[in-house]
Amino acid sequence: MTRAQRRVRTQVAVVGAGPAGLVLANVLLRAGVGVAVVERRSRAEVERRARAGLVEHRIVEYLRAHGLADRLLAEGTRHGWCDFLCSGRLLRFDYGAQSGGVRHWVYPQQLLVRDLIADLHEAGHTPEFSLPATRVHVDGAGPARVECAGLDIDCDYVVGCDGPHGVTPQALPPEAAPHDGLPGTGPAPPGGLDERYPYDWLTLLAEVDRGVPGVVYAVHEDGFAGVMPRTSRIARLYLEIPAGDATARWTAPRVHERLRTRLVGAGAAVPRLGRILETGVLRMRSSVRRRFQHGRLFLAGDAAHVLTPSGAKGMNLAVADAADLADALIRRYRYGDEAHLDGYTSRRLPEVLRTRDLAAGFLDLLHPQGRHPADRRAELALRLERMRELAEPGAAGAAFAHWYVGAGPELPVPHTSAPREPTP
Ligand code: RFL
């Protein structure tokens, strides 16, 4: 039998083996719900795809409650402060203290992905790698279906965890799409869900002589620079660049020179930087779909919303979506509760929009605009004041600290017993 002839039946088909899809699949399987995961990349590729690193407190608590955080807890490190550097003035923001002792975990996304795949493998449900979904069918009578190059999956529900350019977002009707506010296509409407910023971020992975002790957000007349911890030998760095600039223009000497300029005054907060291992450009935009569901299709993570990396929320929101959806699907199979499942968008969209708005406010703090040097200097002085307000104990700092570290709200509690089929 050829691959093209394979056909399987399951309860939930998950497209995409990123954090959203892998957490969802693990939690559903632990509750006895049938799941099949397809992933277009090879296992080796997804396990070395370095992206996020800051994991919120509530996300780690959720993973821990489901027995999915053993290696993260053993090998991750904890971070509860960051430095603001404004034109050479260093201010420490102790968000751990301001949030009542809550801290981030630093654990590279690709390691979390590796662990979650190993958990699925142990449960006998290794995702189908190197198998792109090509189409999803969720309309009409009969089971929903995911079509792949070598496999058709009939299922009750499809969950699209395949990122913004995957196949599942295309199955949503046009009215669920975000407004395309990219340059050349007109401005986003007031209250629109798509935003393009007038700058981009160069993103780099670089060798360091020791681990970065905490995140550094540097705001300088020359532009923004960010330094994020990853491992004891590698750091992630960001540099503001003009919107649309090409990676090729950012040679290693130019990158080092700009980092030196923008990080002046950082002192011990930034280790000595070595070889640059990876360079890319993040087009700075956020995009939130108006709906995360269409019939028996649900979108989670970047497939539903893409935020800028300011605030480090993308992966955390992806896991929070997966947690909500896992809970709703388990209720559906255990109690026949379809209403809760249908409420998915209305539960998740407000949190996503709130996060988008707070991340946008944070981005504004890091990007003083102004064409003329005098305007930029005035903007910088205002930014320094706002950073002081956050860094000093008080209501503003405490509110930001709670959001930044992910102190709450808690994600749905684990379901451990096996579900039963819904009563008709
Ligand atoms: P992912 O991780 O993109 O996974 C989607 C998966 O779907 C697969 N796929 C398909 N599979 C089958 N068929 C198809 N047709 C398919 N099309 C695509 C893809 O191969 C892929 O494996 O989405 P998910 O699970 O929603 O997770 C989202 C996060 O990955 C993302 O939001 C974060 O990485 C964002 N982000 C950060 N988030 C944080 O919470 N904290 C951080 O510190 C943080 N830092 C970052 C980041 C993102 C970055 N980049 C590169 C965008 C730093 C960077 C530089």
PDB file of all heavy atoms in Angstrom, residues 15-16 18-20 38-41 46 49 51-54 109 132-133 161-162 166 203 230 236 238 282 301-302 312-316 318, ligand 1:
ATOM      1  N   VAL A  15      -2.657  19.860  13.467  1.00  0.00           N
ATOM      2  CA  VAL A  15      -1.730  20.197  12.372  1.00  0.00           C
ATOM      3  C   VAL A  15      -0.649  21.108  12.946  1.00  0.00           C
ATOM      4  O   VAL A  15      -0.929  22.224  13.380  1.00  0.00           O
ATOM      5  CB  VAL A  15      -2.466  20.898  11.209  1.00  0.00           C
ATOM      6  CG1 VAL A  15      -1.491  21.191  10.071  1.00  0.00           C
ATOM      7  CG2 VAL A  15      -3.629  20.048  10.713  1.00  0.00           C
ATOM      8  N   GLY A  16       0.593  20.621  12.983  1.00  0.00           N
ATOM      9  CA  GLY A  16       1.707  21.431  13.473  1.00  0.00           C
ATOM     10  C   GLY A  16       2.221  20.959  14.812  1.00  0.00           C
ATOM     11  O   GLY A  16       1.460  20.842  15.779  1.00  0.00           O
ATOM     12  N   GLY A  18       4.484  22.428  16.919  1.00  0.00           N
ATOM     13  CA  GLY A  18       5.146  23.472  17.711  1.00  0.00           C
ATOM     14  C   GLY A  18       4.639  23.355  19.142  1.00  0.00           C
ATOM     15  O   GLY A  18       3.944  22.383  19.487  1.00  0.00           O
ATOM     16  N   PRO A  19       4.941  24.332  19.988  1.00  0.00           N
ATOM     17  CA  PRO A  19       4.484  24.249  21.383  1.00  0.00           C
ATOM     18  C   PRO A  19       2.979  24.083  21.521  1.00  0.00           C
ATOM     19  O   PRO A  19       2.522  23.283  22.343  1.00  0.00           O
ATOM     20  CB  PRO A  19       4.949  25.586  21.977  1.00  0.00           C
ATOM     21  CG  PRO A  19       6.093  26.017  21.113  1.00  0.00           C
ATOM     22  CD  PRO A  19       5.807  25.503  19.737  1.00  0.00           C
ATOM     23  N   ALA A  20       2.181  24.792  20.705  1.00  0.00           N
ATOM     24  CA  ALA A  20       0.718  24.696  20.844  1.00  0.00           C
ATOM     25  C   ALA A  20       0.248  23.274  20.554  1.00  0.00           C
ATOM     26  O   ALA A  20      -0.454  22.659  21.359  1.00  0.00           O
ATOM     27  CB  ALA A  20       0.030  25.695  19.911  1.00  0.00           C
ATOM     28  N   VAL A  38       0.243  15.890  12.722  1.00  0.00           N
ATOM     29  CA  VAL A  38       1.092  15.891  11.522  1.00  0.00           C
ATOM     30  C   VAL A  38       1.941  17.157  11.518  1.00  0.00           C
ATOM     31  O   VAL A  38       1.494  18.219  11.935  1.00  0.00           O
ATOM     32  CB  VAL A  38       0.286  15.806  10.202  1.00  0.00           C
ATOM     33  CG1 VAL A  38      -0.361  14.453  10.059  1.00  0.00           C
ATOM     34  CG2 VAL A  38      -0.735  16.927  10.076  1.00  0.00           C
ATOM     35  N   GLU A  39       3.173  17.030  11.051  1.00  0.00           N
ATOM     36  CA  GLU A  39       4.126  18.146  11.069  1.00  0.00           C
ATOM     37  C   GLU A  39       4.897  18.139   9.746  1.00  0.00           C
ATOM     38  O   GLU A  39       5.395  17.102   9.326  1.00  0.00           O
ATOM     39  CB  GLU A  39       5.088  17.971  12.264  1.00  0.00           C
ATOM     40  CG  GLU A  39       6.342  18.811  12.213  1.00  0.00           C
ATOM     41  CD  GLU A  39       6.115  20.321  12.099  1.00  0.00           C
ATOM     42  OE1 GLU A  39       5.339  20.864  12.897  1.00  0.00           O
ATOM     43  OE2 GLU A  39       6.738  20.942  11.210  1.00  0.00           O
ATOM     44  N   ARG A  40       4.985  19.324   9.133  1.00  0.00           N
ATOM     45  CA  ARG A  40       5.600  19.362   7.806  1.00  0.00           C
ATOM     46  C   ARG A  40       7.117  19.226   7.860  1.00  0.00           C
ATOM     47  O   ARG A  40       7.729  18.714   6.935  1.00  0.00           O
ATOM     48  CB  ARG A  40       5.130  20.629   7.096  1.00  0.00           C
ATOM     49  CG  ARG A  40       6.047  21.761   6.958  1.00  0.00           C
ATOM     50  CD  ARG A  40       5.374  22.902   6.222  1.00  0.00           C
ATOM     51  NE  ARG A  40       5.679  24.181   6.822  1.00  0.00           N
ATOM     52  CZ  ARG A  40       6.786  24.860   6.569  1.00  0.00           C
ATOM     53  NH1 ARG A  40       7.669  24.387   5.729  1.00  0.00           N
ATOM     54  NH2 ARG A  40       7.007  26.012   7.159  1.00  0.00           N
ATOM     55  N   ARG A  41       7.756  19.660   8.959  1.00  0.00           N
ATOM     56  CA  ARG A  41       9.207  19.554   9.054  1.00  0.00           C
ATOM     57  C   ARG A  41       9.612  18.183   9.595  1.00  0.00           C
ATOM     58  O   ARG A  41       8.793  17.462  10.165  1.00  0.00           O
ATOM     59  CB  ARG A  41       9.766  20.627   9.992  1.00  0.00           C
ATOM     60  CG  ARG A  41       9.623  22.039   9.462  1.00  0.00           C
ATOM     61  CD  ARG A  41      10.297  23.007  10.428  1.00  0.00           C
ATOM     62  NE  ARG A  41      10.643  24.257   9.803  1.00  0.00           N
ATOM     63  CZ  ARG A  41       9.857  25.327   9.754  1.00  0.00           C
ATOM     64  NH1 ARG A  41       8.648  25.284  10.302  1.00  0.00           N
ATOM     65  NH2 ARG A  41      10.255  26.433   9.165  1.00  0.00           N
ATOM     66  N   VAL A  46      12.498  20.449  13.723  1.00  0.00           N
ATOM     67  CA  VAL A  46      11.714  21.131  14.765  1.00  0.00           C
ATOM     68  C   VAL A  46      12.465  21.141  16.098  1.00  0.00           C
ATOM     69  O   VAL A  46      12.318  22.065  16.891  1.00  0.00           O
ATOM     70  CB  VAL A  46      10.283  20.563  14.953  1.00  0.00           C
ATOM     71  CG1 VAL A  46       9.438  20.750  13.725  1.00  0.00           C
ATOM     72  CG2 VAL A  46      10.282  19.133  15.389  1.00  0.00           C
ATOM     73  N   ARG A  49      14.927  24.254  16.100  1.00  0.00           N
ATOM     74  CA  ARG A  49      14.397  25.549  15.658  1.00  0.00           C
ATOM     75  C   ARG A  49      14.347  26.498  16.858  1.00  0.00           C
ATOM     76  O   ARG A  49      13.391  26.515  17.632  1.00  0.00           O
ATOM     77  CB  ARG A  49      12.999  25.317  15.086  1.00  0.00           C
ATOM     78  CG  ARG A  49      12.472  26.419  14.242  1.00  0.00           C
ATOM     79  CD  ARG A  49      11.300  25.909  13.408  1.00  0.00           C
ATOM     80  NE  ARG A  49      10.552  27.015  12.861  1.00  0.00           N
ATOM     81  CZ  ARG A  49       9.285  27.272  13.151  1.00  0.00           C
ATOM     82  NH1 ARG A  49       8.612  26.504  13.976  1.00  0.00           N
ATOM     83  NH2 ARG A  49       8.686  28.291  12.607  1.00  0.00           N
ATOM     84  N   ARG A  51      13.821  29.638  18.990  1.00  0.00           N
ATOM     85  CA  ARG A  51      12.959  30.824  18.933  1.00  0.00           C
ATOM     86  C   ARG A  51      12.828  31.413  20.346  1.00  0.00           C
ATOM     87  O   ARG A  51      13.650  32.169  20.782  1.00  0.00           O
ATOM     88  CB  ARG A  51      11.588  30.468  18.357  1.00  0.00           C
ATOM     89  CG  ARG A  51      11.692  29.794  17.010  1.00  0.00           C
ATOM     90  CD  ARG A  51      10.348  29.509  16.398  1.00  0.00           C
ATOM     91  NE  ARG A  51       9.913  30.582  15.532  1.00  0.00           N
ATOM     92  CZ  ARG A  51       8.670  30.768  15.130  1.00  0.00           C
ATOM     93  NH1 ARG A  51       7.723  29.969  15.554  1.00  0.00           N
ATOM     94  NH2 ARG A  51       8.357  31.750  14.325  1.00  0.00           N
ATOM     95  N   ALA A  52      11.775  31.020  21.064  1.00  0.00           N
ATOM     96  CA  ALA A  52      11.511  31.625  22.375  1.00  0.00           C
ATOM     97  C   ALA A  52      12.448  31.084  23.448  1.00  0.00           C
ATOM     98  O   ALA A  52      13.160  30.093  23.244  1.00  0.00           O
ATOM     99  CB  ALA A  52      10.062  31.357  22.773  1.00  0.00           C
ATOM    100  N   GLY A  53      12.410  31.726  24.590  1.00  0.00           N
ATOM    101  CA  GLY A  53      13.215  31.249  25.708  1.00  0.00           C
ATOM    102  C   GLY A  53      12.630  31.592  27.069  1.00  0.00           C
ATOM    103  O   GLY A  53      12.932  30.940  28.058  1.00  0.00           O
ATOM    104  N   LEU A  54      11.785  32.638  27.126  1.00  0.00           N
ATOM    105  CA  LEU A  54      11.230  33.043  28.422  1.00  0.00           C
ATOM    106  C   LEU A  54       9.858  32.397  28.605  1.00  0.00           C
ATOM    107  O   LEU A  54       8.928  32.673  27.852  1.00  0.00           O
ATOM    108  CB  LEU A  54      11.033  34.563  28.466  1.00  0.00           C
ATOM    109  CG  LEU A  54      12.249  35.447  28.686  1.00  0.00           C
ATOM    110  CD1 LEU A  54      11.812  36.910  28.819  1.00  0.00           C
ATOM    111  CD2 LEU A  54      13.029  35.040  29.931  1.00  0.00           C
ATOM    112  N   GLN A 109      12.983  27.208  23.498  1.00  0.00           N
ATOM    113  CA  GLN A 109      11.775  26.591  22.916  1.00  0.00           C
ATOM    114  C   GLN A 109      12.065  25.233  22.291  1.00  0.00           C
ATOM    115  O   GLN A 109      11.283  24.301  22.427  1.00  0.00           O
ATOM    116  CB  GLN A 109      11.192  27.546  21.862  1.00  0.00           C
ATOM    117  CG  GLN A 109       9.977  27.010  21.141  1.00  0.00           C
ATOM    118  CD  GLN A 109       9.275  28.070  20.298  1.00  0.00           C
ATOM    119  OE1 GLN A 109       9.308  29.247  20.638  1.00  0.00           O
ATOM    120  NE2 GLN A 109       8.637  27.680  19.220  1.00  0.00           N
ATOM    121  N   PRO A 132       3.414  17.301   5.431  1.00  0.00           N
ATOM    122  CA  PRO A 132       2.613  18.520   5.462  1.00  0.00           C
ATOM    123  C   PRO A 132       1.138  18.244   5.202  1.00  0.00           C
ATOM    124  O   PRO A 132       0.811  17.432   4.337  1.00  0.00           O
ATOM    125  CB  PRO A 132       3.205  19.369   4.317  1.00  0.00           C
ATOM    126  CG  PRO A 132       4.013  18.449   3.481  1.00  0.00           C
ATOM    127  CD  PRO A 132       4.325  17.223   4.291  1.00  0.00           C
ATOM    128  N   ALA A 133       0.291  18.906   5.978  1.00  0.00           N
ATOM    129  CA  ALA A 133      -1.141  18.891   5.649  1.00  0.00           C
ATOM    130  C   ALA A 133      -1.298  19.783   4.427  1.00  0.00           C
ATOM    131  O   ALA A 133      -0.688  20.846   4.340  1.00  0.00           O
ATOM    132  CB  ALA A 133      -1.945  19.437   6.813  1.00  0.00           C
ATOM    133  N   CYS A 161      -2.462  24.267  14.453  1.00  0.00           N
ATOM    134  CA  CYS A 161      -1.362  24.818  15.268  1.00  0.00           C
ATOM    135  C   CYS A 161      -0.171  25.004  14.335  1.00  0.00           C
ATOM    136  O   CYS A 161       0.972  24.767  14.712  1.00  0.00           O
ATOM    137  CB  CYS A 161      -0.981  23.863  16.398  1.00  0.00           C
ATOM    138  SG  CYS A 161      -2.346  23.467  17.496  1.00  0.00           S
ATOM    139  N   ASP A 162      -0.451  25.380  13.085  1.00  0.00           N
ATOM    140  CA  ASP A 162       0.580  25.387  12.047  1.00  0.00           C
ATOM    141  C   ASP A 162       1.074  26.775  11.710  1.00  0.00           C
ATOM    142  O   ASP A 162       1.601  27.002  10.618  1.00  0.00           O
ATOM    143  CB  ASP A 162       0.071  24.656  10.788  1.00  0.00           C
ATOM    144  CG  ASP A 162      -1.338  25.067  10.368  1.00  0.00           C
ATOM    145  OD1 ASP A 162      -2.028  25.720  11.162  1.00  0.00           O
ATOM    146  OD2 ASP A 162      -1.740  24.731   9.247  1.00  0.00           O
ATOM    147  N   GLY A 166       0.393  28.547   7.718  1.00  0.00           N
ATOM    148  CA  GLY A 166       0.018  27.144   7.559  1.00  0.00           C
ATOM    149  C   GLY A 166      -1.231  27.004   6.701  1.00  0.00           C
ATOM    150  O   GLY A 166      -1.755  27.980   6.148  1.00  0.00           O
ATOM    151  N   THR A 203      17.385  39.773  14.492  1.00  0.00           N
ATOM    152  CA  THR A 203      17.468  38.827  15.605  1.00  0.00           C
ATOM    153  C   THR A 203      18.655  37.899  15.401  1.00  0.00           C
ATOM    154  O   THR A 203      18.878  37.413  14.293  1.00  0.00           O
ATOM    155  CB  THR A 203      16.137  38.057  15.789  1.00  0.00           C
ATOM    156  OG1 THR A 203      16.352  36.993  16.709  1.00  0.00           O
ATOM    157  CG2 THR A 203      15.612  37.482  14.495  1.00  0.00           C
ATOM    158  N   ARG A 230      19.710  32.623  27.086  1.00  0.00           N
ATOM    159  CA  ARG A 230      19.241  31.361  26.523  1.00  0.00           C
ATOM    160  C   ARG A 230      19.940  30.214  27.254  1.00  0.00           C
ATOM    161  O   ARG A 230      19.340  29.554  28.057  1.00  0.00           O
ATOM    162  CB  ARG A 230      19.482  31.303  25.000  1.00  0.00           C
ATOM    163  CG  ARG A 230      18.481  32.163  24.187  1.00  0.00           C
ATOM    164  CD  ARG A 230      17.033  31.697  24.347  1.00  0.00           C
ATOM    165  NE  ARG A 230      16.085  32.443  23.523  1.00  0.00           N
ATOM    166  CZ  ARG A 230      15.328  33.437  23.942  1.00  0.00           C
ATOM    167  NH1 ARG A 230      15.384  33.858  25.206  1.00  0.00           N
ATOM    168  NH2 ARG A 230      14.463  34.041  23.131  1.00  0.00           N
ATOM    169  N   ARG A 236      20.357  35.372  22.948  1.00  0.00           N
ATOM    170  CA  ARG A 236      19.617  35.942  21.815  1.00  0.00           C
ATOM    171  C   ARG A 236      19.711  37.454  21.911  1.00  0.00           C
ATOM    172  O   ARG A 236      19.608  38.027  23.001  1.00  0.00           O
ATOM    173  CB  ARG A 236      18.149  35.519  21.812  1.00  0.00           C
ATOM    174  CG  ARG A 236      17.455  36.071  20.573  1.00  0.00           C
ATOM    175  CD  ARG A 236      16.072  35.509  20.312  1.00  0.00           C
ATOM    176  NE  ARG A 236      16.004  34.156  19.811  1.00  0.00           N
ATOM    177  CZ  ARG A 236      16.307  33.769  18.579  1.00  0.00           C
ATOM    178  NH1 ARG A 236      16.776  34.643  17.697  1.00  0.00           N
ATOM    179  NH2 ARG A 236      16.182  32.509  18.217  1.00  0.00           N
ATOM    180  N   TYR A 238      18.696  41.330  19.967  1.00  0.00           N
ATOM    181  CA  TYR A 238      17.843  42.030  19.015  1.00  0.00           C
ATOM    182  C   TYR A 238      18.441  43.409  18.740  1.00  0.00           C
ATOM    183  O   TYR A 238      18.983  44.058  19.650  1.00  0.00           O
ATOM    184  CB  TYR A 238      16.442  42.251  19.597  1.00  0.00           C
ATOM    185  CG  TYR A 238      15.656  40.981  19.856  1.00  0.00           C
ATOM    186  CD1 TYR A 238      15.274  40.636  21.158  1.00  0.00           C
ATOM    187  CD2 TYR A 238      15.275  40.147  18.809  1.00  0.00           C
ATOM    188  CE1 TYR A 238      14.528  39.489  21.408  1.00  0.00           C
ATOM    189  CE2 TYR A 238      14.530  38.997  19.054  1.00  0.00           C
ATOM    190  CZ  TYR A 238      14.166  38.676  20.348  1.00  0.00           C
ATOM    191  OH  TYR A 238      13.430  37.540  20.580  1.00  0.00           O
ATOM    192  N   LEU A 282      13.073  40.033  11.967  1.00  0.00           N
ATOM    193  CA  LEU A 282      11.666  39.900  12.366  1.00  0.00           C
ATOM    194  C   LEU A 282      10.928  41.115  11.847  1.00  0.00           C
ATOM    195  O   LEU A 282      11.233  42.242  12.250  1.00  0.00           O
ATOM    196  CB  LEU A 282      11.547  39.857  13.892  1.00  0.00           C
ATOM    197  CG  LEU A 282      12.118  38.642  14.586  1.00  0.00           C
ATOM    198  CD1 LEU A 282      11.987  38.786  16.091  1.00  0.00           C
ATOM    199  CD2 LEU A 282      11.379  37.393  14.117  1.00  0.00           C
ATOM    200  N   GLY A 301      -2.361  29.299  18.981  1.00  0.00           N
ATOM    201  CA  GLY A 301      -0.992  29.813  18.839  1.00  0.00           C
ATOM    202  C   GLY A 301      -0.864  30.765  17.665  1.00  0.00           C
ATOM    203  O   GLY A 301      -1.805  31.488  17.314  1.00  0.00           O
ATOM    204  N   ASP A 302       0.311  30.733  17.019  1.00  0.00           N
ATOM    205  CA  ASP A 302       0.600  31.689  15.944  1.00  0.00           C
ATOM    206  C   ASP A 302      -0.370  31.555  14.766  1.00  0.00           C
ATOM    207  O   ASP A 302      -0.483  32.482  13.968  1.00  0.00           O
ATOM    208  CB  ASP A 302       2.039  31.503  15.437  1.00  0.00           C
ATOM    209  CG  ASP A 302       3.076  32.144  16.367  1.00  0.00           C
ATOM    210  OD1 ASP A 302       2.696  32.589  17.468  1.00  0.00           O
ATOM    211  OD2 ASP A 302       4.256  32.199  15.982  1.00  0.00           O
ATOM    212  N   ALA A 312       7.817  38.935  25.057  1.00  0.00           N
ATOM    213  CA  ALA A 312       8.066  37.482  24.992  1.00  0.00           C
ATOM    214  C   ALA A 312       6.809  36.675  25.282  1.00  0.00           C
ATOM    215  O   ALA A 312       6.768  35.818  26.163  1.00  0.00           O
ATOM    216  CB  ALA A 312       9.181  37.100  25.974  1.00  0.00           C
ATOM    217  N   LYS A 313       5.750  36.934  24.520  1.00  0.00           N
ATOM    218  CA  LYS A 313       4.452  36.320  24.841  1.00  0.00           C
ATOM    219  C   LYS A 313       3.976  35.260  23.855  1.00  0.00           C
ATOM    220  O   LYS A 313       3.034  34.524  24.150  1.00  0.00           O
ATOM    221  CB  LYS A 313       3.379  37.418  24.943  1.00  0.00           C
ATOM    222  CG  LYS A 313       3.572  38.345  26.123  1.00  0.00           C
ATOM    223  CD  LYS A 313       3.418  37.606  27.433  1.00  0.00           C
ATOM    224  CE  LYS A 313       3.642  38.479  28.629  1.00  0.00           C
ATOM    225  NZ  LYS A 313       3.674  37.735  29.888  1.00  0.00           N
ATOM    226  N   GLY A 314       4.574  35.187  22.650  1.00  0.00           N
ATOM    227  CA  GLY A 314       4.027  34.323  21.598  1.00  0.00           C
ATOM    228  C   GLY A 314       3.882  32.868  22.013  1.00  0.00           C
ATOM    229  O   GLY A 314       2.809  32.275  21.896  1.00  0.00           O
ATOM    230  N   MET A 315       4.961  32.277  22.494  1.00  0.00           N
ATOM    231  CA  MET A 315       4.906  30.866  22.865  1.00  0.00           C
ATOM    232  C   MET A 315       3.998  30.671  24.090  1.00  0.00           C
ATOM    233  O   MET A 315       3.268  29.675  24.191  1.00  0.00           O
ATOM    234  CB  MET A 315       6.313  30.346  23.194  1.00  0.00           C
ATOM    235  CG  MET A 315       6.314  28.889  23.564  1.00  0.00           C
ATOM    236  SD  MET A 315       7.955  28.245  23.837  1.00  0.00           S
ATOM    237  CE  MET A 315       8.347  28.891  25.453  1.00  0.00           C
ATOM    238  N   ASN A 316       4.041  31.635  24.989  1.00  0.00           N
ATOM    239  CA  ASN A 316       3.217  31.514  26.192  1.00  0.00           C
ATOM    240  C   ASN A 316       1.733  31.540  25.845  1.00  0.00           C
ATOM    241  O   ASN A 316       0.942  30.757  26.375  1.00  0.00           O
ATOM    242  CB  ASN A 316       3.597  32.639  27.170  1.00  0.00           C
ATOM    243  CG  ASN A 316       4.987  32.425  27.737  1.00  0.00           C
ATOM    244  OD1 ASN A 316       5.226  31.451  28.417  1.00  0.00           O
ATOM    245  ND2 ASN A 316       5.927  33.320  27.428  1.00  0.00           N
ATOM    246  N   ALA A 318       0.532  30.680  22.997  1.00  0.00           N
ATOM    247  CA  ALA A 318       0.258  29.442  22.246  1.00  0.00           C
ATOM    248  C   ALA A 318      -0.081  28.312  23.220  1.00  0.00           C
ATOM    249  O   ALA A 318      -1.034  27.553  23.009  1.00  0.00           O
ATOM    250  CB  ALA A 318       1.475  29.073  21.388  1.00  0.00           C
TER     251      ALA A 318
HETATM  252  P1  RFL B   1       5.154  27.209  15.717  1.00  0.00           P
HETATM  253  O1  RFL B   1       6.132  27.069  16.801  1.00  0.00           O
HETATM  254  O2  RFL B   1       5.475  28.103  14.579  1.00  0.00           O
HETATM  255  O3  RFL B   1       4.800  25.757  15.175  1.00  0.00           O
HETATM  256  C1  RFL B   1       4.023  25.613  14.009  1.00  0.00           C
HETATM  257  C2  RFL B   1       4.406  24.274  13.389  1.00  0.00           C
HETATM  258  O4  RFL B   1       3.519  23.993  12.308  1.00  0.00           O
HETATM  259  C3  RFL B   1       4.270  23.409  11.253  1.00  0.00           C
HETATM  260  N1  RFL B   1       3.504  23.551   9.996  1.00  0.00           N
HETATM  261  C4  RFL B   1       2.833  22.531   9.427  1.00  0.00           C
HETATM  262  N2  RFL B   1       2.695  21.245   9.781  1.00  0.00           N
HETATM  263  C5  RFL B   1       1.934  20.434   8.981  1.00  0.00           C
HETATM  264  N3  RFL B   1       1.346  20.889   7.834  1.00  0.00           N
HETATM  265  C6  RFL B   1       1.470  22.164   7.441  1.00  0.00           C
HETATM  266  N4  RFL B   1       0.880  22.579   6.336  1.00  0.00           N
HETATM  267  C7  RFL B   1       2.238  23.051   8.254  1.00  0.00           C
HETATM  268  N5  RFL B   1       2.570  24.372   8.183  1.00  0.00           N
HETATM  269  C8  RFL B   1       3.332  24.651   9.234  1.00  0.00           C
HETATM  270  C9  RFL B   1       5.579  24.170  11.300  1.00  0.00           C
HETATM  271  O5  RFL B   1       6.607  23.443  10.637  1.00  0.00           O
HETATM  272  C10 RFL B   1       5.813  24.322  12.799  1.00  0.00           C
HETATM  273  O6  RFL B   1       6.566  23.247  13.317  1.00  0.00           O
HETATM  274  O7  RFL B   1       3.728  27.728  16.269  1.00  0.00           O
HETATM  275  P2  RFL B   1       3.064  27.613  17.774  1.00  0.00           P
HETATM  276  O8  RFL B   1       3.031  26.198  18.253  1.00  0.00           O
HETATM  277  O9  RFL B   1       1.807  28.375  17.657  1.00  0.00           O
HETATM  278  O10 RFL B   1       4.097  28.381  18.731  1.00  0.00           O
HETATM  279  C11 RFL B   1       4.280  29.764  18.609  1.00  0.00           C
HETATM  280  C12 RFL B   1       5.704  30.113  19.024  1.00  0.00           C
HETATM  281  O11 RFL B   1       6.612  29.316  18.274  1.00  0.00           O
HETATM  282  C13 RFL B   1       6.020  31.607  18.828  1.00  0.00           C
HETATM  283  O12 RFL B   1       4.907  32.395  19.196  1.00  0.00           O
HETATM  284  C14 RFL B   1       7.229  32.024  19.662  1.00  0.00           C
HETATM  285  O13 RFL B   1       8.400  31.422  19.193  1.00  0.00           O
HETATM  286  C15 RFL B   1       7.364  33.551  19.686  1.00  0.00           C
HETATM  287  N6  RFL B   1       8.587  33.967  20.404  1.00  0.00           N
HETATM  288  C16 RFL B   1       8.616  34.019  21.784  1.00  0.00           C
HETATM  289  N7  RFL B   1       7.526  33.633  22.509  1.00  0.00           N
HETATM  290  C17 RFL B   1       7.581  33.606  23.876  1.00  0.00           C
HETATM  291  O14 RFL B   1       6.557  33.277  24.501  1.00  0.00           O
HETATM  292  N8  RFL B   1       8.720  33.940  24.572  1.00  0.00           N
HETATM  293  C18 RFL B   1       9.865  34.339  23.922  1.00  0.00           C
HETATM  294  O15 RFL B   1      10.882  34.582  24.574  1.00  0.00           O
HETATM  295  C19 RFL B   1       9.828  34.417  22.468  1.00  0.00           C
HETATM  296  N9  RFL B   1      10.941  34.756  21.761  1.00  0.00           N
HETATM  297  C20 RFL B   1       9.741  34.285  19.671  1.00  0.00           C
HETATM  298  C21 RFL B   1      10.912  34.683  20.385  1.00  0.00           C
HETATM  299  C22 RFL B   1       9.762  34.198  18.264  1.00  0.00           C
HETATM  300  C23 RFL B   1      10.915  34.502  17.564  1.00  0.00           C
HETATM  301  N10 RFL B   1      10.871  34.375  16.154  1.00  0.00           N
HETATM  302  C24 RFL B   1      11.886  33.770  15.382  1.00  0.00           C
HETATM  303  C25 RFL B   1       9.631  34.626  15.442  1.00  0.00           C
HETATM  304  C26 RFL B   1      12.055  35.011  19.683  1.00  0.00           C
HETATM  305  C27 RFL B   1      12.063  34.940  18.273  1.00  0.00           C
HETATM  306  C28 RFL B   1      13.327  35.344  17.573  1.00  0.00           C
END
